[in-house]
Amino acid sequence: MTSVEPAGERRIALVDLLDRVLAGGVVIAGEVTLSVADVDLEHVSLRTLITSVSAIEQQDRRP
Amino acid sequence: MAEETGVWLYAVTRGQITARLTELRGVGGEPVRSVKADDLLAVVSSVSLDEFGETALQRNLEDLDWLAATARAHDTVVNAVVRAAPTVPFRLATLYLGDERVRGLLVGYHDELGAALDRLAGRTEWGVKATADPDAFTLPVQQPAAAPAGGGAGTAYLLRRKAQLAAAQDGERRAAAIAEELHTALAQMSVAARRHPPQDPQLAGTHAWMVLNGTYLVDDPSGEDFAAAVRTLEANYPGVRLELTGPWPPYSFASIGQVRE
């Protein structure tokens, strides 16, 4: 890693994080994983969710 | 009666779990531990199926507070693993019914996971979001000197409106073309590049257009050059703002072979 930042001090916007952990990362389906690993995150209406999260964060930032 | 538990998987790496990792609290405030098979190490937490079982998960994922806390806890652990060694991050909400199932994953996908670890080693994900100022891209519509022959104020209004919409569309096209140029330039400095869907710009409190939500896998020695290039590109494109985010664990580049994405 090029920049040294102690864990927990990275300034991460939630929308940027959700872009990655909801749509990125390894997904394994099939025999090897059973049960909840097959939860389909599309049911969560991702863009609507991320949009709502953005709105909440914006409200939190107002003085 | 014992509480039903599942196993939440954060990431896969090699070697041993670090003392630092075992001091972390992960999702649900649970301790972090590992499951080992051969040279691979899965970093996990035991979680209650009351909160993380399939039905509860569907409900909780739609609770923004729960989702935010869980996503941040997942990322905190994943980031800690990445800082120690090459790591393959897993998607949020990857759960197994027990350690044996996790071990089965490590054994069943050993080669694919190993290849992914080698591919991601020494590389970091950086995000670049580009937003365009509509005022900078939309050419002003000329007001006609006089009402068009044979038409009145209504016709004039409709013609002006049509011209404004056309100007806005033209502006959007040009901004999108610039986004393509930016993405291409950034991709050339990266090992791999992807575009996420644009985020809704209205919620940023401006009327800016988000024309690029790119993410780039960059060799660590080139990280500073990449950041400098982002600043240079921004200077070269008036009316476009670039925001660099990261460093990220390589979530967006963590595919392993014939896996459903």
Side-chain angles (χ1 to χ4, degrees), chain A residues 1-2 5 7 10 12 16 19-28 32-34 36 41 47 49 51 56, chain B residues 54 61 64 67 72 75 83 88-89 91-92 95-96 105 125-126 129 199 203 213 215 220 251 254 259:
Chain A
M1 309 269 272
T2 52
E5 295 181 21
R10 290 157 66 218
I12 302 166
D16 297 332
D19 272 347
R20 287 170 173 81
V21 298
L22 290 179
V26 171
V27 177
I28 295 204
V32 175
T33 69
L34 301 172
V36 292
L41 292 174
R47 297 322 297 178
L49 194 58
T51 300
I56 288 168
Chain B
E54 186 156 356
L61 285 170
L64 298 176
L67 177 61
R72 288 194 186 280
D75 177 68
R83 289 173 60 78
V88 180
R91 184 167 293 189
L92 197 74
L95 293 108
Y96 294 80
L105 162 76
E125 175 170 342
W126 299 92
K129 296 188 289 188
Q199 299 165 353
L203 298 162
N213 186 10
T215 200
D220 288 345
Y251 294 110
V259 158

Side-chain angles (χ1 to χ4, degrees), chain A residues 27-46:
Chain A
V27 177
I28 295 204
E31 303 169 74
V32 175
T33 69
L34 301 172
S35 185
V36 292
D38 289 332
V39 168
D40 184 357
L41 292 174
E42 289 305 314
H43 289 317
V44 185
S45 300
L46 294 178

Side-chain angles (χ1 to χ4, degrees), chain B residues 33-48:
Chain B
R33 60 181 182 85
S34 63
V35 172
K36 200 152 173 52
D38 198 9
D39 59 323
L40 295 180
L41 190 82
V43 180
V44 303
S45 282
S46 294
V47 291
S48 159

Side-chain angles (χ1 to χ4, degrees), chain B residues 3-136:
Chain B
E3 187 183 57
E4 299 247 5
T5 60
V7 182
W8 177 286
L9 175 60
Y10 299 96
V12 168
T13 185
R14 286 194 184 104
Q16 303 297 327
I17 195 163
T18 63
R20 207 180 145 271
L21 266 176
T22 57
E23 287 161 12
L24 281 179
R25 294 281 140 173
V27 299
E30 298 292 344
V32 177
R33 60 181 182 85
S34 63
V35 172
K36 200 152 173 52
D38 198 9
D39 59 323
L40 295 180
L41 190 82
V43 180
V44 303
S45 282
S46 294
V47 291
S48 159
L49 290 179
D50 284 347
E51 186 179 356
F52 292 88
E54 186 156 356
T55 312
L57 202 59
Q58 288 283 9
R59 185 181 64 241
N60 284 328
L61 285 170
E62 309 221 7
D63 174 337
L64 298 176
D65 291 335
W66 189 94
L67 177 61
T70 304
R72 288 194 186 280
H74 181 80
D75 177 68
T76 295
V77 176
V78 172
N79 188 55
V81 183
V82 165
R83 289 173 60 78
T87 297
V88 180
F90 273 67
R91 184 167 293 189
L92 197 74
T94 304
L95 293 108
Y96 294 80
L97 290 182
D99 286 10
E100 276 316 299
R101 300 276 166 84
V102 177
R103 213 163 269 121
L105 162 76
L106 297 179
V107 169
Y109 284 86
H110 176 272
D111 294 348
E112 290 90 338
L113 288 166
L117 286 168
D118 294 339
R119 188 165 40 81
L120 298 172
R123 291 164 173 170
T124 296
E125 175 170 342
W126 299 92
V128 179
K129 296 188 289 188
T131 50
D133 178 1
D135 295 336

Side-chain angles (χ1 to χ4, degrees), chain B residues 174-216:
Chain B
R174 278 185 288 109
I178 283 177
E180 274 301 317
E181 290 176 18
L182 289 167
H183 183 63
T184 299
L186 293 166
Q188 279 168 359
M189 287 180 279
S190 316
V191 171
R194 274 191 60 185
R195 296 179 74 157
H196 287 301
Q199 299 165 353
D200 190 336
Q202 288 182 348
L203 298 162
T206 74
H207 58 307
W209 300 323
M210 182 173 291
V211 293
L212 177 66
N213 186 10
T215 200
Y216 306 90

Side-chain angles (χ1 to χ4, degrees), chain B residues 141 144 148 153-165:
Chain B
V141 171
T155 303
Y157 168 80
L158 287 172
L159 286 173
R160 193 166 61 244
R161 191 77 192 104
K162 191 176 165 193
Q164 283 168 344
L165 288 170

